[in-house]
Amino acid sequence: MRVLFCASEIFPYAKSGGLADVAHSLVKELDKYVDICSVMPFYGFMSKKLFRKSNINFNVKLGGVFYQIAIYETLNEGIKTYFVDAPLLSTTEQMYGDGNAEYASNDIRFALFSASVVELAQIIHAEIIHANDWHSALVPLFVKRAKLNIKTLFTIHNLAYQGVFGKSSLARIGLEESYFHMDALEFYGKVNFLKAGIIYSDALSTVSPTYAKEILTQKFGCGLEGLLEAYKEKLVGILNGIDESVFDPQNDTALYLPYSCETLQKKHENRKAFQKAIGLRDDKRPLFIMISRLVHQKGFDVLMESLDTFLAQDINFILLANGEKSYKKILSTYAKKYKNFKFLSGYEEALSHRIYAAGDFLLMPSLFEPCGLNQMIAARYGTIPIVHGVGGLKDSVHEKKMKCARGIVFSQPTKKAFLLAIKRALKLKKDEKRFNEFITFNMKCDFSFSKSAVAYDELYRKVLL
């Protein structure tokens, strides 16, 4: 069975969030079961010197315009990855936008990518295309439209991002007016790319069992709950994992000292060194950490409403985050006001590893979370997750059950519920024996993609029947 896995970002080539990590780690695990390779866009910030130009070249016609496509390739950890070099798609310095707004040409850019993926799949004789999120959601439609003997699986990583464009986009990407109706791409007078993936795919998945149920409701359905309800028979939720060879405190070169659940004193030495490096006093205080994007979804309104009460306690707090300027401004003000709060604006992979290693507790007050990876990474590093019990957080963090991972779970995204969770965490920290039991249990958990890969392999085989 040959599978072509397509995503708009794949680690280590390009990354803005969890999709890149999943596209790397899941494919690496799936390689044990199927003949699989990956494809992503070639972006303007990437260097062609790092990749080999393949002998695959072709033209794609969209909206009456012919676009010349070149394919680059590389091999990493045994996985071949192709890169689509196309006009518009590959000339931007960022993946999706310039920081102020999304690129106006994103409809053509990712329609070009999707069309190129379908063409490439035919050239390499792929039997299945596994498409991910709105950037490649047109793949199933293009396959069905061309009546190709290729099956498609479409995975929704975050329903909130749908690829919605004006009606004129339909002509620009070369689709007939017949696709502009409620049971196809039309969405409140606009064109919705994500709908194409939902409707035209042979199988549909999302990234946790709970999120698969949540998106059928008005609260989490982002306006597509009715459509998803209509296609729920082909919808399945498969929990993501992490690459345990990347997130491994025993062999992590980013840390001051490697450690395991048997050498937890070295975890404290990591905290001591890190707090000294960033000028945060008193390494004996409970240390709360948060590594996130500064967006509403991640629960920053709840966090900021609670900050004065939270930071008035005998604790330390480190936040590593990048995103919306309005949140940055407010958080910078709090960081000046409170000596026990360090706000590190931006993101750097090695830095995040040192923060995971330093922490006692990780905060994830997300309003919704399709899966989430931070809670798994934190548990792997012996940092106990405190989460709002939604989506994948509900599936992977448990307060009252001896299941992976053990943590603190609050049921409502409110100041009161959040601060009560902090209170329970501080009580746990004081009970040294129980606190260390949580840590040791979590560090022995299997957070790898092994179970996910088996589930996807079964899904691939099912669609080929």
Side-chain angles (χ1 to χ4, degrees):
M1 182 197 318
R2 175 164 284 188
V3 179
L4 180 60
F5 187 100
C6 63
S8 59
E9 53 187 81
I10 301 174
F11 178 82
Y13 314 111
K15 175 180 173 178
S16 73
L19 172 60
D21 292 319
V22 173
H24 165 73
S25 305
L26 174 59
V27 170
K28 194 166 76 167
E29 194 67 30
L30 278 167
D31 189 51
K32 296 175 183 176
Y33 303 93
V34 297
D35 178 8
I36 192 166
C37 54
S38 302
V39 59
M40 63 169 282
F42 183 92
Y43 294 111
F45 57 83
M46 296 162 68
S47 171
K48 289 181 179 177
K49 293 176 184 176
L50 300 175
F51 311 103
R52 189 180 77 84
K53 191 173 189 297
S54 77
N55 57 6
I56 302 173
N57 297 279
F58 50 82
N59 289 323
V60 165
K61 184 183 178 184
L62 290 180
V65 179
F66 284 94
Y67 298 91
Q68 193 170 6
I69 311 297
I71 302 293
Y72 287 77
E73 63 184 35
T74 193
L75 196 67
N76 180 42
E77 297 186 66
I79 304 297
K80 177 177 274 192
T81 300
Y82 295 102
F83 300 86
V84 175
D85 183 25
L88 298 175
L89 176 66
S90 304
T91 54
T92 60
E93 285 304 310
Q94 303 295 329
M95 287 184 273
Y96 313 122
D98 61 6
N100 296 314
E102 300 283 286
Y103 293 124
S105 60
N106 274 354
D107 54 347
I108 304 174
R109 293 178 70 229
F110 290 104
L112 265 175
F113 175 58
S114 295
S116 299
V117 167
V118 174
E119 189 68 31
L120 177 64
Q122 294 173 79
I123 293 167
I124 66 169
H125 306 293
E127 296 165 83
I128 297 174
I129 304 174
H130 185 163
N132 296 271
D133 274 352
W134 75 261
H135 318 89
S136 54
L138 290 175
V139 166
L141 186 156
F142 288 154
V143 168
K144 283 279 196 298
R145 184 170 172 247
K147 298 179 180 176
L148 301 175
N149 189 27
I150 298 173
K151 299 295 184 180
T152 58
L153 165 63
F154 182 64
T155 299
I156 300 167
H157 294 260
N158 192 334
L159 189 65
Y161 300 95
Q162 300 180 8
V164 178
F165 303 95
K167 185 186 175 183
S168 59
S169 174
L170 205 67
R172 283 202 301 276
I173 63 175
L175 287 178
E176 296 80 12
E177 189 78 17
S178 59
Y179 285 100
F180 195 73
H181 60 87
M182 194 173 71
D183 295 324
L185 303 193
E186 190 273 333
F187 186 71
Y188 296 100
K190 295 186 176 182
V191 173
N192 186 318
F193 278 27
L194 194 78
K195 286 184 73 178
I198 295 168
I199 294 167
Y200 298 102
S201 60
D202 296 296
L204 182 63
S205 74
T206 190
V207 290
S208 69
T210 294
Y211 192 60
K213 296 172 187 171
E214 287 175 345
I215 59 177
L216 301 179
T217 68
Q218 188 175 3
K219 184 178 179 181
F220 295 101
C222 301
L224 294 178
E225 59 274 8
L227 180 71
L228 287 160
E229 178 69 30
Y231 289 93
K232 70 178 180 181
E233 294 306 314
K234 67 175 180 179
L235 173 65
V236 62
I238 300 172
L239 190 68
N240 280 335
I242 58 173
D243 187 335
E244 291 190 329
S245 67
V246 173
F247 300 107
D248 178 8
Q250 293 187 72
N251 297 289
D252 193 335
T253 56
L255 307 188
Y256 295 97
L257 278 173
Y259 64 93
S260 69
C261 59
E262 276 134 28
T263 56
L264 288 177
Q265 179 54 35
K266 291 183 180 178
K267 177 174 167 65
H268 187 77
E269 292 300 318
N270 274 281
R271 176 192 305 175
K272 197 172 178 180
F274 184 66
Q275 286 195 197
K276 185 179 179 182
I278 64 169
L280 184 60
R281 297 175 189 169
D282 197 349
D283 57 76
K284 290 191 169 53
R285 284 179 168 186
L287 176 60
F288 292 81
I289 66 166
M290 186 171 179
I291 299 168
S292 187
R293 286 181 294 115
L294 291 171
V295 293
H296 178 67
Q297 175 205 335
K298 298 299 181 180
F300 277 98
D301 294 303
V302 173
L303 176 71
M304 289 191 291
E305 188 186 351
S306 311
L307 268 180
D308 281 314
T309 307
F310 176 46
L311 294 171
Q313 300 177 83
D314 190 27
I315 58 104
N316 282 325
F317 179 36
I318 298 171
L319 169 61
L320 174 65
N322 201 15
E324 294 177 20
K325 290 177 182 176
S326 57
Y327 287 132
K328 280 186 185 180
K329 188 176 179 182
I330 297 167
L331 288 164
S332 297
T333 303
Y334 274 103
K336 289 174 185 173
K337 182 179 177 182
Y338 292 97
K339 295 283 192 287
N340 60 338
F341 173 36
K342 286 289 180 183
F343 171 43
L344 308 176
S345 179
Y347 182 79
E348 198 262 305
E349 192 76 19
L351 176 61
S352 74
H353 286 224
R354 290 193 285 276
I355 295 172
Y356 282 121
D360 285 315
F361 299 99
L362 170 84
L363 302 180
M364 290 189 76
S366 307
L367 302 182
F368 65 94
E369 195 65 68
C371 178
L373 302 178
N374 292 17
Q375 75 278 16
M376 301 178 197
I377 300 167
R380 181 106 166 113
Y381 282 75
T383 298
I384 297 169
I386 301 172
V387 306
H388 176 212
V390 289
L393 299 179
K394 187 175 182 179
D395 293 324
S396 59
V397 181
H398 310 275
E399 187 166 356
K400 296 177 181 177
K401 298 176 185 175
M402 290 283 285
K403 292 178 69 177
C404 291
R406 298 186 73 185
I408 308 290
V409 183
F410 57 99
S411 57
Q412 295 295 326
T414 63
K415 176 183 176 181
K416 182 180 178 182
F418 175 75
L419 291 173
L420 281 172
I422 299 299
K423 187 177 180 180
R424 296 200 299 280
L426 292 173
K427 184 181 177 183
L428 175 62
K429 173 69 174 170
K430 285 178 183 176
D431 185 343
E432 189 176 350
K433 182 175 179 289
R434 190 161 172 259
F435 179 69
N436 285 332
E437 283 173 358
F438 269 56
I439 291 172
T440 302
F441 181 89
N442 285 350
M443 290 183 77
K444 290 179 178 177
C445 285
D446 177 5
F447 296 110
S448 73
F449 265 102
S450 56
K451 292 177 185 173
S452 313
V454 169
Y456 278 112
D457 179 45
E458 289 174 357
L459 200 51
Y460 292 158
R461 295 179 191 283
K462 185 179 176 182
V463 297
L464 284 177
L465 290 175

